[in-house]
Amino acid sequence: MDSFIKDYEKILKKQKALDTNDPLDRLIAVINEAKEKIKADPSSVATSMAILGKSIKTVSNGISEEYKELQSGLTKYSKAIDKKFTGDMMTTINPHAFDNKEKILRNTVALHFIRQGNFEVGDMFAKASPAFLLLSLEAGLTIPDSIRHQFVEMFDIIAAIKEKNLEPALDWAMRHRNELEKKSSTLEFKLHSQRYLQLVEARQQLEAVLYSRQHFPYFQNRHLHEISRLMTCLAFINNDLMYQDLKKSKFWDDIQHMFTRDFCSLIGLSCESPLYVSVTVGTQAMPTMNKMANIMKAKKTEWSQQSELPVEINLTDDTKFHSIFTCPVSKEQATEENPPMMMTCGHVICKESLQKLSRGTS
């Protein structure tokens, strides 16, 4: 893949060079130069026009060669990709994967549009006819107003956070304090901390102290260390080098992500769109699955297991949601029938391994 990336960067560099040195600008410059010569010496029209014709031809030929070089690079790059990725993706597709699951699929796609704020598209998808979706869906469905209103509120609060306005998010977090605490969320404290830092950075020391006295005592049992560091900021308010880790711009992205996660959690939805996660995981798994399918086809074998994949798929950390335990004795993954068991010494092995080891012992 490194060679593909390098080739792509070369092509992109050539294209940017052409965009920077616009061919039309070069032709206009040649024409303007001839125009100025004729204006200065009208008797040189014939000579200037002859020179102009040659100049235009030279520039045009140069432009043509540059674009030929770019087009040649694109053609070679396209052929290299086609040669590298020759697998037939249809071999890994299960045509019956969504049998009797049309309603789940419809809701997943519609909710994906809703989560993006595309309510009209979500409504249109939910109302779509069976012929349009090629699925046996019921027509006439609409997005419930309750879900619509909740997502509108979430988008409004996120828009405010992007503008570094924390008031709507703070109001929402304080109204849902009990539900957030049941989920061990630190959102409200993070929001108050960021608001306090805003006052400190604005050199509003008195307002920062009053704000901390009003809100931080409630969190001191759980966040005493963080509160101590925040309060110490006031002693170094004129030293920009101190406590830089508390002023990183990434904290705004973290707060936005944390708010989205907790908001969706309270209304019973995952932080990320299930459709987005499914497509991402499928994209990561596709090369391995396609290779495995070709091997099975060549060996004329089929995978008979229904609840697991024929090969291990390495996924990125953000697409892993369940921990996997592999028994150090049997080297097999734990299952519901063979769960992990902790011994008195603190070691953990699978139940079947524990039973085998304990046979014949008192």
Side-chain angles (χ1 to χ4, degrees):
M1 290 302 293
D2 291 340
S3 61
F4 285 108
I5 295 174
K6 290 180 180 178
D7 291 341
Y8 172 78
E9 290 176 348
K10 289 179 181 178
I11 294 172
L12 186 62
K13 187 176 181 180
K14 290 179 182 178
Q15 185 176 12
K16 287 182 177 179
L18 286 174
D19 292 340
T20 303
N21 193 9
D22 191 349
L24 288 177
D25 289 340
R26 281 182 271 171
L27 289 173
I28 292 172
V30 171
I31 294 171
N32 285 335
E33 184 179 355
K35 182 180 177 181
E36 293 298 325
K37 287 183 178 180
I38 294 172
K39 186 185 293 185
D41 184 9
S43 62
S44 65
V45 173
T47 305
S48 297
M49 292 301 293
I51 295 173
L52 176 61
K54 292 181 180 180
S55 299
I56 290 177
K57 186 176 181 179
T58 302
V59 173
S60 299
N61 290 337
I63 294 172
S64 179
E65 289 298 322
E66 290 173 357
Y67 273 99
K68 280 183 181 179
E69 186 179 355
L70 176 62
Q71 187 61 40
S72 175
L74 286 171
T75 302
K76 291 180 180 178
Y77 186 69
S78 177
K79 289 181 178 179
I81 291 177
D82 292 339
K83 186 177 180 180
K84 178 69 175 178
F85 302 101
T86 57
D88 181 10
M89 297 301 176
M90 296 302 295
T91 59
T92 59
I93 293 176
N94 181 359
H96 304 292
F98 293 104
D99 286 353
N100 302 318
K101 298 176 183 177
E102 292 85 359
K103 185 175 181 180
I104 296 175
L105 179 62
R106 176 199 61 210
N107 291 339
T108 300
V109 176
L111 274 174
H112 176 78
F113 286 118
I114 299 171
R115 297 171 76 109
Q116 306 302 315
N118 297 324
F119 297 109
E120 293 183 2
V121 178
D123 273 332
M124 290 175 64
F125 192 93
K127 293 177 182 178
S129 65
F132 177 77
L133 293 178
L134 301 179
L135 295 170
S136 56
L137 308 180
E138 310 119 23
L141 298 177
T142 57
I143 300 168
D145 288 338
S146 58
I147 295 180
R148 185 194 300 269
H149 293 156
Q150 287 172 330
F151 275 103
V152 167
E153 180 183 17
M154 185 182 77
F155 294 136
D156 289 342
I157 295 175
I158 290 175
I161 293 175
K162 290 180 178 179
E163 296 295 328
K164 297 189 176 182
N165 176 13
L166 295 173
E167 295 304 322
L170 280 166
D171 178 67
W172 181 88
M174 294 172 72
R175 284 189 285 111
H176 296 86
R177 174 178 288 177
N178 293 334
E179 299 97 310
L180 291 171
E181 288 183 348
K182 289 178 181 178
K183 295 181 176 294
S184 301
S185 170
T186 60
L187 175 64
E188 185 182 352
F189 175 71
K190 295 296 183 183
L191 290 169
H192 284 303
S193 299
Q194 197 66 20
R195 178 57 188 147
Y196 167 83
L197 288 172
Q198 279 186 309
L199 296 172
V200 172
E201 291 179 359
R203 300 297 193 268
Q204 299 178 18
Q205 295 97 316
L206 179 60
E207 290 82 354
V209 171
L210 294 175
Y211 190 88
S212 64
R213 289 179 178 177
Q214 181 181 0
H215 297 288
F216 285 168
Y218 180 80
F219 303 98
Q220 63 183 1
N221 292 334
R222 290 173 293 166
H223 302 284
L224 182 60
H225 177 70
E226 294 95 323
I227 293 173
S228 299
R229 294 200 70 221
L230 289 167
M231 297 306 299
T232 311
C233 286
L234 291 171
F236 300 92
I237 195 169
N238 294 318
N239 189 340
D240 292 334
L241 297 178
M242 297 297 294
Y243 296 93
Q244 283 298 305
D245 60 313
L246 296 177
K247 303 176 183 179
K248 292 181 179 178
S249 57
K250 76 178 185 66
F251 286 152
W252 288 100
D253 294 332
D254 293 342
I255 286 176
Q256 181 179 328
H257 177 76
M258 186 182 296
F259 170 78
T260 303
R261 180 197 65 197
D262 289 349
F263 189 100
C264 291
S265 177
L266 290 193
I267 63 176
L269 296 175
S270 60
C271 179
E272 296 289 351
S273 164
L275 180 63
Y276 169 80
V277 174
S278 299
V279 172
T280 302
V281 170
T283 303
Q284 294 174 11
M286 184 62 74
T288 304
M289 293 298 298
N290 191 53
K291 183 177 179 180
M292 192 66 191
N294 291 332
I295 293 174
M296 288 182 176
K297 184 179 180 181
K299 293 184 176 181
K300 298 181 179 180
T301 58
E302 294 183 359
W303 185 252
S304 58
Q305 298 292 332
Q306 297 295 323
S307 59
E308 59 184 73
L309 295 173
V311 65
E312 184 177 357
I313 304 296
N314 293 320
L315 301 176
T316 55
D317 291 339
D318 58 342
T319 53
K320 295 178 181 178
F321 301 94
H322 303 284
S323 59
I324 298 173
F325 176 77
T326 301
C327 178
V329 177
S330 65
K331 308 301 181 184
E332 296 178 351
Q333 288 186 8
T335 62
E336 292 184 2
E337 295 76 20
N338 186 27
M341 306 289 289
M342 179 179 286
M343 297 185 288
T344 54
C345 60
H347 292 90
V348 180
I349 61 177
C350 282
K351 183 178 180 180
E352 291 179 0
S353 298
L354 180 61
Q355 290 174 340
K356 290 179 182 179
L357 290 173
S358 61
R359 287 174 186 169
T361 61
S362 57

